[in-house]
């Protein structure tokens, strides 16, 4: 499977978040947009990826505030 095939199925919209935003804001975006990850951008540069798995780990550790 090619990346282009995945994009054809999933769509070409990229959902992003700034590293200064809260976990609650990230969860709200992921829920509203029905996505499992957000690309983290800071000052116009990609700095990472936040996945639903990482959100669950933070909730489990009690850091979802």
């Amino acid at each position: 499977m090619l990346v282009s095939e995945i994009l054809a199925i999933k769509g070409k919209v990229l959902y992003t978040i700034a590293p200064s935003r809260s976990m609650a804001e990230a969860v709200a975006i992921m829920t509203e947009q029905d996505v499992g990850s957000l690309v983290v951008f800071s000052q116009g540069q990609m700095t990472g990826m936040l996945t639903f798995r990482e959100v669950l780990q933070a909730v489990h550790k009690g850091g979802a505030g």
Side-chain angles (χ1 to χ4, degrees):
M1 179 171 266
L2 299 174
V3 172
S4 61
E5 294 171 316
I6 295 170
L7 290 175
I9 296 166
K10 293 296 232 174
K12 296 182 181 181
V13 177
L14 183 66
Y15 295 99
T16 65
I17 194 161
S20 59
R21 298 306 214 178
S22 71
M23 187 69 72
E25 290 173 294
V27 169
I29 294 168
M30 293 169 110
T31 302
E32 290 167 9
Q33 302 303 325
D34 193 26
V35 294
S37 62
L38 299 173
V39 179
V40 181
F41 268 89
S42 179
Q43 299 177 349
Q45 297 285 324
M46 180 182 161
T47 59
M49 207 63 174
L50 178 66
T51 66
F52 189 65
R53 180 180 177 174
E54 292 162 329
V55 170
L56 288 178
Q57 288 172 340
V59 169
H60 181 70
K61 291 179 184 178

